[in-house]
Amino acid sequence: MDLVLRAARVITPDGERAADVGVAGGRVVAVADRLDAATVVELAPDEVLLPGLVDTHVHVNDPGRAEWEGFATATRAAAAGGVTTIVDMPLNSLPPTTTPAALAVKRAAALGRVHVDVGFWGGIVPDNADDLVALHEAGAFGFKCFLVHSGVDEFPHVSTDELRRALDRLAPLGALTVVHAEDPHEITEPGPGYRAFLDSRPHRAEARAVDSVVELAARTGARLHVLHVSSGQALDRVREAKGRGLAVTAETCPHYLTFVAEEIADGATEFKCCPPIRDAANREQLWRALGEGLVDLVVTDHSPCTPELKRGDFASAWGGVASLQLGLPAVWTQARRRGHGLTDVVRWMATNPADLVGLTAKGRIAPGADADFAVFAPDEAFVVDRAALHHRNPVTPYHGRPLSGVVRRTWLRGQPVDDRPRGRLLTRGDA
């Protein structure tokens, strides 16, 4: 073995235990009571060894809008937050990842610049049905689509009929499609304040769109995943789909589990996202759904932009929350208050996201898995300072918020993450 990590608390697939974790060739080879290696790293008494987190919902925006983020800054932020694998969304970059050629452009932009492992989603838009099979064969992890305007004109949304035609091609491949589920017929023009913005994207917009997703899953047999659920009312449809045995899963995000509409001031556009952050009672519905397994995973939907695009009011500002570095402490802070443990957090933020996209060697500390680790001090508190964050632009709704849990070190395939970009570009099927 090249390395042994020794800890009083290790989160494994079988629960929390004291263990030595042995590493050779970048993989975990043993989890046992006492192991020896050339290098032994002993964790401090207040530290817990977690598997590296897997965030399957990240907007890097590179190439084309690298002033919003970029592969170097996004992956440094990920590593600082204990995230060792991300899957990049197909929009906000130029060109959007809707053809094999565009996927090649994005991979070229990322090559040699990433500090964690990076995979890529393809996109479904109205005019690219003939490219979907080739994108799948080129290694895209699945396909993202919008049922409502995406926010950028070069990635247009699809109708349910257009999505059904795409799913007819993708279902025989077993390909995963992930859906921004809001019904455009239920959305109105927002006013400048937060309440008017919230009212413009009501619960029923999500609920009706998820109804459509469930019906498409039933009609086509395709695998469908509902992105960033913000509304407790939409969860009844997810429950129905799972009860029917349909291949439907769902995620939510740290900002929906942390913030509440009652506390958002009219000028605080750093909180703007679509779908919106809702009220406190709704937040508790999301937590209950997560606890019962109705919501499968938690990912950040890191969607940064320049400070200029966040200026103005809720009618005009860019919608997106920057949080890649803060997802783990944000979720842990709220989870522990509700009686959840780190085994739950690891399932939601590491194992289940990895399983969703078929990365069976990620998101767990077990023999055969990649030696991706986060050393986490769950009881250490801090106050978020946007100046200390690694993503490109210092805009986040978490600024000034006290959180619990600090990531002290991160390993990628048995090597400490440092200033050298040693991440790999992943393709679907990598294990």
Side-chain angles (χ1 to χ4, degrees):
M1 286 179 285
D2 310 314
L3 169 71
V4 164
L5 296 175
R6 181 168 296 150
R9 299 177 65 189
V10 179
I11 306 301
T12 77
D14 298 320
E16 182 180 311
R17 57 169 291 192
D20 284 8
V21 178
V23 175
R27 296 256 179 159
V28 176
V29 294
V31 180
D33 290 335
R34 195 74 180 179
L35 299 170
D36 291 313
T39 301
V40 177
V41 176
E42 190 161 348
L43 272 62
D46 67 334
E47 294 177 338
V48 185
L49 189 66
L50 311 182
L53 304 189
V54 178
D55 193 334
T56 54
H57 196 151
V58 178
H59 295 267
V60 178
N61 311 328
D62 192 1
R65 291 190 175 98
E67 71 275 12
W68 292 16
E69 185 58 280
F71 283 107
T73 52
T75 56
R76 278 198 295 266
V83 178
T84 52
T85 304
I86 66 171
V87 186
D88 176 50
M89 282 293 172
L91 71 156
N92 301 344
S93 56
L94 295 170
T97 316
T98 56
T99 66
L103 176 59
V105 169
K106 182 166 280 192
R107 289 177 64 88
L111 187 64
R113 299 176 58 216
V114 296
H115 297 268
V116 302
D117 288 353
V118 179
F120 304 94
W121 294 103
I124 298 173
V125 292
D127 59 355
N128 77 327
D130 292 339
D131 293 301
L132 297 179
V133 173
L135 259 174
H136 178 79
E137 292 173 347
F141 277 83
F143 297 88
K144 163 80 174 280
C145 70
F146 282 74
L147 298 182
V148 67
H149 193 280
S150 71
V152 290
D153 291 339
E154 70 273 5
F155 196 96
H157 68 285
V158 293
S159 67
T160 53
D161 284 343
E162 288 167 333
L163 178 54
R164 180 188 54 77
R165 288 194 288 273
L167 294 176
D168 285 340
R169 300 192 182 207
L170 295 174
L173 305 175
L176 175 65
T177 297
V178 300
V179 184
H180 181 123
E182 289 182 284
D183 187 325
H185 303 100
E186 298 291 344
I187 293 174
T188 59
E189 286 297 319
Y194 191 73
R195 175 53 57 184
F197 170 65
L198 183 60
D199 290 345
S200 75
R201 304 183 91 99
H203 289 275
R204 65 180 176 273
E206 277 190 83
R208 285 193 57 176
V210 175
D211 273 340
S212 297
V213 170
V214 172
E215 180 59 28
L216 286 168
R219 290 177 63 185
T220 66
R223 295 173 61 210
L224 285 160
H225 178 74
V226 183
L227 297 167
H228 46 49
V229 174
S230 82
S231 169
Q233 293 182 21
L235 294 173
D236 289 340
R237 282 73 176 177
V238 176
R239 181 179 284 105
E240 175 196 347
K242 291 189 173 190
R244 293 166 62 184
L246 301 177
V248 174
T249 50
E251 71 185 37
T252 193
C253 304
H255 43 279
Y256 301 128
L257 298 170
T258 299
F259 303 118
V260 293
E262 295 92 331
E263 298 173 356
I264 299 176
D266 280 348
T269 56
E270 64 270 22
F271 290 88
K272 182 179 177 180
C273 55
C274 299
I277 296 163
R278 304 188 189 275
D279 61 33
N282 181 83
R283 179 182 64 179
E284 297 315 307
Q285 284 184 276
L286 296 178
W287 272 108
R288 287 192 293 273
L290 192 56
E292 69 179 80
L294 183 59
V295 173
D296 300 271
L297 50 124
V298 181
V299 287
T300 62
D301 189 10
H302 177 70
S303 186
C305 65
T306 61
E308 291 75 19
L309 289 174
K310 277 292 189 183
R311 292 181 184 140
D313 57 31
F314 277 95
S316 59
W318 173 258
V321 170
S323 61
L324 183 55
Q325 188 172 333
L326 300 169
L328 174 57
V331 172
W332 171 238
T333 298
Q334 298 293 325
R336 69 191 308 185
R337 294 174 183 171
R338 293 164 176 82
H340 297 290
L342 285 171
T343 54
D344 298 318
V345 173
V346 163
R347 182 174 66 256
W348 301 329
M349 303 188 76
T351 312
N352 286 0
D355 289 348
L356 177 76
V357 295
L359 289 173
T360 57
K362 300 289 190 182
R364 67 210 78 213
I365 298 176
D370 284 355
D372 299 346
F373 310 115
V375 175
F376 188 58
D379 298 322
E380 184 176 346
F382 70 105
V383 175
V384 177
D385 178 1
R386 60 190 168 213
L389 300 179
H390 290 272
H391 64 260
R392 184 176 299 279
N393 293 294
V395 179
T396 180
Y398 291 93
H399 176 66
R401 191 171 187 92
L403 296 177
S404 296
V406 171
V407 176
R408 292 182 177 165
R409 285 169 288 176
T410 306
W411 271 269
L412 183 67
R413 287 185 302 279
Q415 295 291 324
V417 177
D418 54 26
D419 290 337
R420 290 168 287 182
R422 290 185 293 209
R424 294 179 181 172
L425 305 186
L426 305 175
T427 59
R428 179 187 44 77
D430 285 341

